[in-house]
Amino acid sequence: MAVPGEEEDVMARYRSPLVSRYASAEMAYNFSERKKFGTWRRLWLYLAQAEKSLGLPITDEQIQEMEANLDNIDFKMAAEEEKKLRHDVMAHVHTFAHCCPKAAAIIHLGATSCYVGDNTDLIVLRDGLNLLLPKLARVISRLADFAEKYADMPALGFTHYQPAQLTTVGKRCCLWIQDLCMDLQNLERARDDLRFRGVKGTTGTQASFLQLFEGDHSKVEELDRLVTAKAGFKRAFMVTGQTYSRKVDIGVLAVLASLGASIHKICTDIRLLANLKEIEEPFEKDQIGSSAMPYKRNPMRSERCCSLARHLMTLVMDPLQTAAVQWFERTLDDSANRRVCLAEAFLTADIILSTLQNVSEGLVVYPKVIERRIRQELPFMATENIIMAMVKAGGNRQDCHEKIRVLSQQAAAVVKQEGGDNDFIARVRADPYFSPIHKQLESLLDPSSFTGRAPQQVVAKFLKEEVRPALTPYQSKMGGKIELAL
């Protein structure tokens, strides 16, 4: 079958759904060809400016010519040059030189391909983390508002997905928030730990630059410092091979994988709560849950987060293996792999954060369902309180325990074998043995007395002392609600 050209039918070519369907425009741009090659040109400019300031024969006119053509990229010419030269960096050196004829002789002076390639990657990683951080902060902020609103609302807790002691809706949300706060710290640390490769030469020895500056080591060191500062980095690696250590990529993608694990857990919890009909993600007025079952309200946003988070978590395996097989100063089997995994990790993280923000801004709570589930389980949890109250009223602990054992098993049989409601308290009320505490039963069964310090932990401590302060640097970037295109 004939395959139509792109100009004939764009829908006849594969497009990554990470870009075409999901990712934000700013993250897609961060990994775009325009950002990449525009950054290459800026790095060539930084190098020329620094070399000029240190005494190399580079003129103001050459610098101005380069500055005027930073974004004047002839992508068609660059593609033709690369096809001919089989070298992407030299293709763009020639393309830049074509529109900067006066500066042609000093573009890329003393540099190796990794000067633009690796340093651009580090800039893109830094900028990508700076895009993700406020998005993560927004998610935390929205969930913090939710946790504060529902800090006091009792809910059935689960361990092993079996009924356990009560918690509160807000306290459970704080478990999610705490994981995300750890991710926020990890992303900040990964960004702040990034170093520039700098100006290191072909195998990292700076030999070419030492030759340019006629053996003056201090000028080579200053050149490295100047270019690093121009690129917006506080420090550069002191030693490199031809590339920066690929362990840097491991560190960044490990942090993103950890974020994926957090979001997968959060959205799994939301999906389980949706099944219990206690909490649901937002559901649009005209949204269809199932083509066959009109009544369904599927948690499709949470499912999307889980689906993409799985992909994000696996991507860290790429840089792990790449770093392990880099021979000596460098091998090129890293290049094609890194083109895919670095971009996909950031695009995927961007998507799931945007989706989770949308979910967290529209979570729907069903108090009556939550109360009903508590009523079904709380009577059994209250048995110890009933025993203690009976002992205080003069009863015998062992006799009371046996009475409760019998009544609770009878009530459990109604629930499990007959599908009825938990009638344990009704049985206690009907038994004359418990008459000394009949008037106390309502207070003994007050759900708020079973939630411990959960409300205080949420509002007075955790949100106030840990969460809100961590969000302070991002207050100006909180923005409004997010709407998903799909």
Side-chain angles (χ1 to χ4, degrees), residues 66-304:
M66 293 173 73
E67 289 175 331
N69 287 280
L70 290 175
D71 297 308
N72 179 26
I73 304 175
D74 186 338
F75 287 99
K76 184 176 180 182
M77 178 183 177
E80 291 170 351
E81 287 287 333
E82 184 173 356
K83 187 174 182 180
K84 178 174 63 176
L85 300 172
R86 308 296 293 179
H87 198 288
D88 56 351
V89 173
M90 287 309 300
H92 277 270
V93 168
H94 289 186
T95 304
F96 196 18
H98 180 75
C99 58
C100 298
K102 295 173 184 175
I106 57 93
I107 293 172
H108 199 65
L109 182 60
T112 186
S113 298
C114 285
Y115 166 69
V116 289
D118 270 36
N119 282 325
T120 292
D121 286 344
L122 289 162
I123 289 170
V124 168
L125 292 179
R126 178 196 65 194
D127 293 352
L129 289 167
N130 280 331
L131 287 173
L132 293 178
L133 279 163
K135 293 189 175 192
L136 176 53
R138 284 198 291 270
V139 172
I140 294 171
S141 176
R142 300 325 191 244
L143 289 174
D145 291 342
F146 178 86
E148 188 165 359
K149 181 178 179 180
Y150 294 101
D152 298 326
M153 181 179 286
L156 184 63
F158 291 93
T159 59
H160 316 278
Y161 201 35
Q162 301 299 313
Q165 286 188 351
L166 299 193
T167 182
T168 70
V169 172
K171 171 65 190 301
R172 174 179 283 143
C173 182
C174 285
L175 299 178
W176 306 339
I177 294 170
Q178 182 163 256
D179 286 352
L180 294 177
C181 283
M182 293 170 67
D183 293 315
L184 188 74
Q185 292 176 341
N186 290 338
L187 261 68
E188 289 173 337
R189 189 181 303 113
R191 178 200 60 192
D192 296 342
D193 284 350
L194 284 176
R195 298 191 199 184
F196 205 48
R197 178 187 178 271
V199 182
K200 296 297 194 296
T202 306
T203 57
T205 65
Q206 298 178 306
S208 58
F209 297 105
L210 193 62
Q211 184 176 1
L212 280 174
F213 289 103
E214 299 179 344
D216 191 330
H217 289 266
S218 63
K219 284 191 174 181
V220 176
E221 289 183 7
E222 181 64 6
L223 177 71
D224 204 358
R225 189 195 68 77
L226 286 172
V227 174
T228 297
K230 286 176 181 291
F233 285 80
K234 294 180 179 178
R235 55 183 182 161
F237 287 105
M238 295 181 71
V239 295
T240 72
Q242 188 172 88
T243 69
Y244 67 77
S245 171
R246 294 310 183 218
K247 285 184 73 68
V248 174
D249 297 342
I250 296 173
V252 173
L253 263 64
V255 168
L256 298 184
S258 182
L259 172 64
S262 299
I263 293 178
H264 198 295
K265 183 266 192 291
I266 292 167
C267 291
T268 299
D269 283 357
I270 293 172
R271 291 164 65 189
L272 292 169
L273 290 167
N275 173 260
L276 297 174
K277 297 180 173 60
E278 292 191 8
I279 294 178
E280 286 183 343
E281 66 178 40
F283 198 87
E284 308 294 340
K285 177 177 176 290
D286 297 321
Q287 183 176 328
I288 294 175
S290 167
S291 61
M293 295 166 280
Y295 61 87
K296 291 194 76 179
R297 291 168 64 94
N298 297 335
M300 66 89 160
R301 291 170 176 81
S302 299
E303 290 174 313
R304 176 187 299 172

Side-chain angles (χ1 to χ4, degrees), residues 310-321:
R310 287 202 299 274
H311 178 58
L312 179 56
M313 288 185 282
T314 65
L315 288 172
V316 71
M317 292 304 301
D318 276 341
L320 280 168
Q321 296 183 66

Side-chain angles (χ1 to χ4, degrees), residues 276-438:
L276 297 174
K277 297 180 173 60
E278 292 191 8
I279 294 178
E280 286 183 343
E281 66 178 40
F283 198 87
E284 308 294 340
K285 177 177 176 290
D286 297 321
Q287 183 176 328
I288 294 175
S290 167
S291 61
M293 295 166 280
Y295 61 87
K296 291 194 76 179
R297 291 168 64 94
N298 297 335
M300 66 89 160
R301 291 170 176 81
S302 299
E303 290 174 313
R304 176 187 299 172
C305 285
C306 289
S307 181
L308 291 170
R310 287 202 299 274
H311 178 58
L312 179 56
M313 288 185 282
T314 65
L315 288 172
V316 71
M317 292 304 301
D318 276 341
L320 280 168
Q321 296 183 66
T322 295
V325 298
Q326 285 296 286
W327 302 345
F328 302 115
E329 280 66 47
R330 191 267 169 96
T331 58
L332 194 60
D333 60 341
D334 63 339
S335 179
N337 184 286
R338 294 175 70 252
R339 288 177 193 268
V340 176
C341 71
L342 296 182
E344 288 204 354
F346 277 85
L347 290 166
T348 306
D350 179 72
I351 295 158
I352 59 178
L353 282 173
S354 296
T355 307
L356 185 56
Q357 180 185 337
N358 177 262
V359 170
S360 63
E361 289 171 346
L363 285 172
V364 181
V365 177
Y366 296 105
K368 296 299 182 183
V369 178
I370 295 173
E371 290 171 12
R372 182 176 184 274
R373 183 156 286 108
I374 289 173
R375 287 198 305 271
Q376 293 238 324
E377 301 294 341
L378 190 60
F380 293 148
M381 297 177 191
T383 54
E384 187 66 20
N385 288 8
I386 293 173
I387 291 174
M388 293 300 99
M390 280 294 296
V391 171
K392 287 179 181 179
N396 178 281
R397 195 267 179 197
Q398 276 60 249
D399 292 342
C400 184
H401 183 279
E402 179 60 20
K403 284 276 189 181
I404 286 178
R405 186 188 69 80
V406 172
L407 295 181
S408 62
Q409 290 192 6
Q410 291 171 350
V414 170
V415 173
K416 294 179 180 180
Q417 297 174 21
E418 300 175 20
D421 291 334
N422 188 332
D423 63 358
F424 172 72
I425 296 302
R427 293 175 185 273
V428 171
R429 288 187 189 281
D431 192 324
Y433 176 82
F434 293 99
S435 58
I437 64 165
H438 280 170

